[in-house]
Amino acid sequence: MSSSVDVHQIQTVSAADALAWHQVVAASMTHDLPGVPAPDPGQIHAQLTRPALGSHRLTWLATGADGTPAGVAGLRVFTSPGQEHLAELDLHVDPAHRRLGAGSLLLSAVVEACRTENRRSLVATAAADGPGEAFSERWGFRRALTLDHLLLRLVGSDETDRSDLLRIADAEHPGYRLTGWTGTVPDTLAAAFAAAKNAMNDMPVGDLDYGSVAWDADRVRAMAAVVADRGDTLLTVAAVHDDGTMAGYTEILIPQGAAPRVQQYDTAVVPEHRGHGLGLWVKAAMVRRLRAEYPGVIEIETDNADDNVHMLAVNHRLGFRSYRRTREFQLDVSAT
């Protein structure tokens, strides 16, 4: 096979570009992450053409001598106050085209773009002990955080005990009530939800220089709009105190097409309301809601920093089981 690789930046993502991107990502994930479902072509197209909240995206495609897609790189450039130093990399190389320079050429283009965008920190995720980790370390990325990925089976022989979950979800928490919504938070709860969102800023992030974000009602509405615009569904269950404060919440993302595996988004309990079992309560109530409203959902995937002892304990109590690990890496762009 020829070692000739061409890398070009995609200015406007076409349907053909999205299909090429999907081809590379599916091959890469099948090889490196067996058992982890790859996004379908529609999800890839939405990811590439619908900007994430508080950022803009740059994309590159590497092709072989015959024009075959060999690798892809996406760069999310954060623009929110508190994260203007940061960019996040998503890089995949088709296993059939590895060790021919595609990954290095893509990363060189990304690093140069980070300098142009005046971003000092580039973060990337790779499967623990996999080829992506070795590649990152060769390029001078430092290991900043290890994440434990867990699955909760909702149906099948190893599903979590229904009666136990119902007991947790139905437990009384004097002074608190449960509420929930789909998509955008109701206006009456928007300010309280934004205040609770800020509790995520003390989430354990190891040595990762991820910055922090200040949430307000407009930002939580904008986040929900971004999710809806790409065809996904966002579910939220929250615990509200008698004084109107939102004490805690949990979010689940259902990918477009009602995929059998859904993703945990944020779960947080406001510091002054911790110690009352609210995190366990809202997550159990979310599982009950999923079973009632989305019977086609089979699994929930979540991840926690390996030093987030409290949330790991909550998830294990609910029946989540560890099944893989990833690592977050960070590159000091100014030092390269």
Side-chain angles (χ1 to χ4, degrees), residues 1 43 55 59 100 138 143-144 153 155 162 176 186 204 227 236 253 260 275 277 291 301 314 326-327 332:
M1 181 182 295
Q43 292 167 337
S55 63
T59 56
L100 299 176
R138 283 199 307 272
R143 187 186 300 180
R153 292 278 299 180
V155 298
R162 291 175 184 264
Y176 299 93
V227 172
T236 307
L253 182 96
R291 283 176 161 162
E301 179 175 358
V314 166
T326 58
R327 294 197 172 100
D332 181 355

Side-chain angles (χ1 to χ4, degrees), residues 201-275:
N201 285 327
D202 68 358
M203 177 182 66
V205 292
D207 296 323
L208 201 63
D209 180 17
Y210 210 77
S212 61
V213 173
W215 289 87
D216 58 20
D218 287 341
R219 185 176 177 87
V220 296
R221 293 187 186 102
M223 181 199 71
V226 166
V227 172
D229 191 44
R230 66 178 186 236
D232 299 334
T233 301
L234 187 64
L235 306 182
T236 307
V237 170
V240 179
H241 191 263
D242 286 346
D243 65 5
T245 301
M246 190 169 292
Y249 67 93
T250 190
E251 299 169 316
I252 287 287
L253 182 96
I254 302 177
Q256 60 170 294
R261 180 180 295 183
V262 299
Q263 300 294 322
Q264 178 76 61
Y265 262 28
D266 291 352
T267 299
V269 176
V270 175
E272 53 266 35
H273 294 279
R274 291 172 184 168

